[in-house]
Amino acid sequence: MLGYTTSFDAVDRSIFGQYDISKHMNITYSRSYDMSKDPKDWYGLEYKISF
């Protein structure tokens, strides 16, 4: 999955991607932009369970 988000005033925005490794696990990446010049990169590993 790929996506793009922005705030109502268009100051903050980000792009993100998510890839399913298995039924219960995925990896994520996000790059956020705000008033500063340097973007912030986020990486994640998510484990999903259901009840």
Side-chain angles (χ1 to χ4, degrees):
M1 171 175 42
L2 294 173
Y4 175 81
T5 62
T6 185
S7 61
F8 287 116
D9 58 4
V11 172
D12 300 316
R13 60 196 189 283
S14 67
I15 56 171
F16 62 89
Q18 177 176 320
Y19 179 76
D20 292 331
I21 298 171
S22 68
K23 181 179 177 183
H24 295 286
M25 190 171 289
N26 64 39
I27 55 175
T28 59
Y29 168 76
S30 176
R31 175 167 273 194
S32 299
Y33 299 91
D34 56 12
M35 295 295 285
S36 66
K37 300 260 187 231
D38 298 327
K40 296 176 183 77
D41 293 323
W42 300 88
Y43 303 91
L45 180 64
E46 179 180 16
Y47 184 77
K48 301 178 277 188
I49 58 172
S50 57
F51 299 93

